[in-house]
Amino acid sequence: MSHYQKPPELYDGLRLHQNENTGGCSPKVIEALARLRADQIGFYPPYADATAAVARYLGAAPESVTLTNGLDEGIMALSVAYLRPSVAGPVFEAVVPEPAFEIFRFDTAVAGGHLVQVLPTPDFAFPLDDVLAAIRGRTRVVFLTNPNNPTGVAIPLDAIRTIAGQMPANGVVFVDEAYAEFAGQSFIPQLASFPNVVVGRTFSKAFGLAGLRIGCLVGAPDTVDAIRRAIPVYSVSIAAVTAVRAALEDRDHLDGYLRQVAESKTLLYGACERLGLKYWKSSANFVLVCAGDRTEALVKGAFARGVYIRDRSTEPGCAGCIRIGTGVVEHTKRCIAVMEEVLCAAP
Ligand SMILES: Cc1ncc(COP(=O)(O)O)c(C=O)c1O
């Protein structure tokens, strides 16, 4: 497959297949959107207040934060800025430890870069030595996700420092922190010492704003400047900048959701143990579960019962694996009941 295939548009069941916040955004976001005036919608959106609010939340300087239309836009812009070959110049390389967020693969191809995949270890521990061995003179980007999608496994910050120290000049380490709120660790406090690292964040996951599309890139202004040039002017809407400010003001909503995610993961681990399914402890809001030869039956059986979970079998190192979102506890309990029903009914 040479381009990203969006999952089918399923909105009439329980969506545990795209790592979204199934409880939705803070009610304060809805109130703020309802207060938007016609003139605000008539004008191009101001970014300064939202950028300042995001920077405060992340503990970063406003000049190091660039808002994007979802983190997806940031990843595409970074790929274009760093991997696009110049006329008759060399093809630049992107190193991706697998299994990884598949967008890295597709955006590398769109930008004209060459993908260098690092194969996973059996337990998904971070393959630092193999990543270092893959870095060469033409490496322009190392794509990391911390904690990783689809495994949920965290990368030690020390490993990121080591990789940054081995990058060739003009190369960047991209640390995708889409799930950082659930892990409670970030590379952002270290960015001042690592100008060749760019961190990506999203408000789609912990803050439940996926439908509004807002994320950001954080990094040294000189490093991020090249990426900014590849981002369309005003790609973030007035709805998104309004929503993110309101979401950041409702800390209770965020904390409540983080508590539910932690409880949901514990419940799902317990269910996997009862059902004899291998799983990996996750630092994110989903769990990768190995159902082996029961994968297809489980995904299809859950689908028939209105619960959507994601077959990740074709991802490197993930044969027989399913990724299951663990958000609102009530939703997790429903998913577990369906898993038990399907697996216990199977021959
Ligand atoms: C690792 C990772 N990065 C980025 C994204 C996309 O985030 P956004 O919704 O902000 O585009 C996702 C979404 O699933 C993701 O898993």
Side-chain angles (χ1 to χ4, degrees):
M1 191 200 313
S2 61
H3 62 279
Y4 181 67
Q5 304 279 333
K6 272 192 196 167
E9 296 200 351
L10 300 165
Y11 290 94
D12 53 354
L14 181 52
R15 291 171 57 86
L16 302 182
H17 63 313
Q18 289 198 255
N19 305 342
E20 298 150 334
N21 183 329
T22 54
C25 66
S26 156
K28 295 210 162 65
V29 169
I30 306 293
E31 288 160 20
L33 291 175
R35 283 196 301 272
L36 274 176
R37 299 182 313 268
D39 63 291
Q40 287 178 287
I41 292 173
F43 297 142
Y44 288 105
Y47 284 19
D49 288 347
T51 303
V54 168
R56 247 190 328 276
Y57 164 66
L58 296 174
E63 58 275 18
S64 68
V65 173
T66 301
L67 301 182
T68 56
N69 183 300
L71 180 49
D72 277 341
E73 183 182 61
I75 299 169
M76 178 61 89
L78 180 136
S79 303
V80 168
Y82 279 89
L83 295 170
R84 187 186 39 178
S86 55
V87 178
V91 173
F92 297 122
E93 294 182 348
V95 173
V96 177
E98 298 283 357
F101 183 44
E102 62 268 47
I103 292 291
F104 300 150
R105 207 182 297 156
F106 297 118
D107 288 0
T108 296
V110 168
H114 174 70
L115 181 74
V116 178
Q117 290 171 296
V118 174
L119 294 179
T121 57
D123 60 353
F124 296 132
F126 187 70
L128 176 61
D129 290 341
D130 295 343
V131 171
L132 294 176
I135 295 171
R136 310 191 297 176
R138 287 181 184 180
T139 305
R140 275 297 188 93
V141 184
V142 173
F143 284 108
L144 306 174
T145 300
N146 196 22
N148 197 18
N149 174 13
T151 63
V153 174
I155 304 174
L157 297 185
D158 218 23
I160 300 173
R161 284 192 287 270
T162 306
I163 294 167
Q166 307 263 319
M167 287 297 284
N170 301 327
V172 285
V173 180
F174 176 66
V175 185
D176 183 324
E177 294 191 351
Y179 304 97
E181 279 83 2
F182 308 106
Q185 73 163 2
S186 170
F187 200 80
I188 290 173
Q190 311 199 21
L191 284 175
S193 315
F194 292 92
N196 63 348
V197 177
V198 175
V199 170
R201 299 287 289 242
T202 179
F203 296 91
S204 293
K205 309 296 180 182
F207 288 93
L209 299 181
L212 286 171
R213 317 301 301 124
I214 180 154
C216 67
L217 298 175
V218 192
D222 283 351
T223 313
V224 176
D225 198 46
I227 308 171
R228 276 191 182 139
R229 283 181 244 145
I231 298 174
V233 192
Y234 299 122
S235 66
V236 180
S237 73
I238 185 69
V241 292
T242 303
V244 81
R245 291 176 64 193
L248 287 169
E249 277 165 22
D250 193 351
R251 190 70 213 195
D252 289 348
H253 187 81
L254 173 67
D255 291 343
Y257 185 62
L258 298 184
R259 277 195 296 275
Q260 294 217 51
V261 168
E263 187 180 340
S264 280
K265 285 190 287 192
T266 306
L267 289 171
L268 186 56
Y269 298 156
C272 289
E273 281 156 25
R274 285 196 302 281
L275 292 165
L277 302 173
K278 182 177 163 65
Y279 63 91
W280 287 265
K281 283 239 163 114
S282 168
S283 299
N285 64 337
F286 53 82
V287 176
L288 191 70
V289 174
C290 182
D293 57 7
R294 295 183 284 177
T295 298
E296 196 182 339
L298 187 48
V299 173
K300 284 192 172 157
F303 181 89
R305 289 161 178 81
V307 175
Y308 310 133
I309 54 181
R310 191 92 181 261
D311 187 341
R312 296 279 74 188
S313 301
T314 55
E315 294 300 304
C318 297
C321 288
I322 302 169
R323 195 190 61 202
I324 302 175
T326 45
V328 174
V329 169
E330 202 185 305
H331 294 159
T332 306
K333 287 184 176 164
R334 199 158 116 218
C335 178
I336 291 171
V338 160
M339 288 169 71
E340 285 171 338
E341 191 184 320
V342 173
L343 291 176
C344 296

